[in-house]
Amino acid sequence: MKIIMLGAPGAGKGTQAIMIADKYGIPHISTGDIFRANIKNNTELGQEAKKYMDQGLLVPDELTVKILLDRVAKDDCKNGYVLDGFPRTIPQAEVLEDALNKLNDAVDYAIDVNVPDENIIKRMGGRRACVKCGATYHIEHVPPKKEGICDNCGEALVLRDDDKPETVKNRLDVYHKQTQPLIDFYSQKGILKTVDGTMDMKDVFGAITDILG
Ligand code: ADP
Ligand code: AMP
């Protein structure tokens, strides 16, 4: 099963993608996590990506597409995957479609986690992230067992640089201009499913599993 998660930054794509990956036994692939791991390890790719991420801009398609195609070619992706944060532009979606076409394959579902901008702005300031394992918490809705520490791996949690209020506003603008058109793109392909992302995260997951079966 090949699934794409659509939705604004902070809509809950990552939260849901982790649960989907666990239930259906497929890898969760987040281009944002891949970039953050590279920034943490100070790789060349990380240095390049950081310039864009810190401003709330998208990393250029050429860089992002290469990373994604390398990742989905790995053995663990044979039975599918859930993509979180990719594609974010129409050209990215077209590259993925062409790559899958060549394998006589296609994306099965594009799930749009729908959350209005007002809710997003409230959520982002409370998000705390683990840069080591990719886990995400929220200081009110999803607190870790021990304040500031990741439940999974014990790493210190951080407020992402790009979750600061001025950057969140840019990211929402970028989302509406560059990423939202993907909703029409996948709707035309007949694989778009929309869920109400303002519900409690368990109810959002219930709506998603009703779709996926
Ligand atoms: P995205 O991957 O779309 O950027 P996240 O999954 O990281 O979003 O979620 C953004 C923040 O909102 C996180 O702090 C997360 O814990 C919290 N969150 C996710 N889903 C919900 C929900 N249904 N209700 C309330 N808070 C949520
Ligand atoms: P995320 O963790 O998905 O919120 O992504 C964080 C940041 O990484 C984004 O704001 C972008 O700067 C960058 N990024 C992640 N995925 C992509 C993508 N598919 N295309 C371009 N930039 C991306």
Side-chain angles (χ1 to χ4, degrees):
M1 187 150 51
K2 297 186 178 61
I3 305 166
I4 286 173
M5 303 303 291
L6 295 175
K13 300 182 296 295
T15 303
Q16 297 300 325
I18 288 169
M19 294 195 273
I20 294 170
D22 187 45
K23 180 169 164 80
Y24 296 94
I26 49 177
H28 161 222
I29 300 176
S30 155
T31 36
D33 282 352
I34 297 174
F35 289 137
R36 281 185 289 278
N38 276 275
I39 292 173
K40 188 162 185 252
N41 296 326
N42 202 20
T43 66
E44 214 172 296
L45 167 68
Q47 288 171 11
E48 185 62 19
K50 190 172 178 3
K51 291 186 208 159
Y52 300 92
M53 289 169 74
D54 281 353
Q55 297 178 68
L57 300 174
L58 296 185
V59 177
D61 285 343
E62 309 80 75
L63 264 185
T64 310
V65 156
K66 183 176 179 323
I67 286 159
L68 192 275
L69 293 182
D70 285 352
R71 179 64 189 88
V72 297
K74 295 221 159 94
D75 259 7
D76 64 335
C77 291
K78 284 212 170 85
N79 295 326
Y81 40 77
V82 50
L83 299 186
D84 157 20
F86 186 100
R88 264 185 160 99
T89 63
I90 298 275
Q92 289 181 12
E94 287 170 344
V95 170
L96 177 64
E97 189 177 35
D98 288 351
L100 288 173
N101 263 340
K102 285 191 188 124
L103 305 169
N104 271 329
D105 205 348
V107 171
D108 299 294
Y109 297 98
I111 300 177
D112 176 32
V113 184
N114 189 276
V115 178
D117 287 9
E118 310 85 80
N119 304 45
I120 297 283
I121 291 168
K122 279 190 212 137
R123 268 191 202 177
M124 299 294 255
R127 171 156 70 178
R128 295 295 177 273
C130 175
V131 184
K132 194 166 168 200
C133 75
T136 297
Y137 301 85
H138 191 282
I139 50 175
E140 281 168 38
H141 308 299
V142 196
K145 292 196 181 83
K146 194 166 169 223
E147 197 183 322
I149 302 292
C150 179
D151 292 349
N152 296 337
C153 69
E155 184 85 356
L157 299 175
V158 296
L159 170 67
R160 284 168 39 177
D161 284 339
D162 60 350
D163 279 350
K164 303 198 167 125
E166 55 290 3
T167 317
V168 170
K169 171 138 195 338
N170 285 347
R171 293 172 69 199
L172 279 171
D173 287 346
V174 165
Y175 168 74
H176 289 300
K177 285 198 192 95
Q178 292 181 265
T179 308
Q180 212 169 15
L182 291 175
I183 292 179
D184 270 353
F185 180 92
Y186 287 113
S187 171
Q188 278 163 26
K189 312 246 170 239
I191 59 166
L192 180 76
K193 306 282 172 189
T194 303
V195 295
D196 176 0
T198 63
M199 300 185 291
D200 181 273
M201 48 194 272
K202 289 193 191 68
D203 295 332
V204 180
F205 189 56
I208 292 176
T209 52
D210 283 350
I211 294 164
L212 301 180

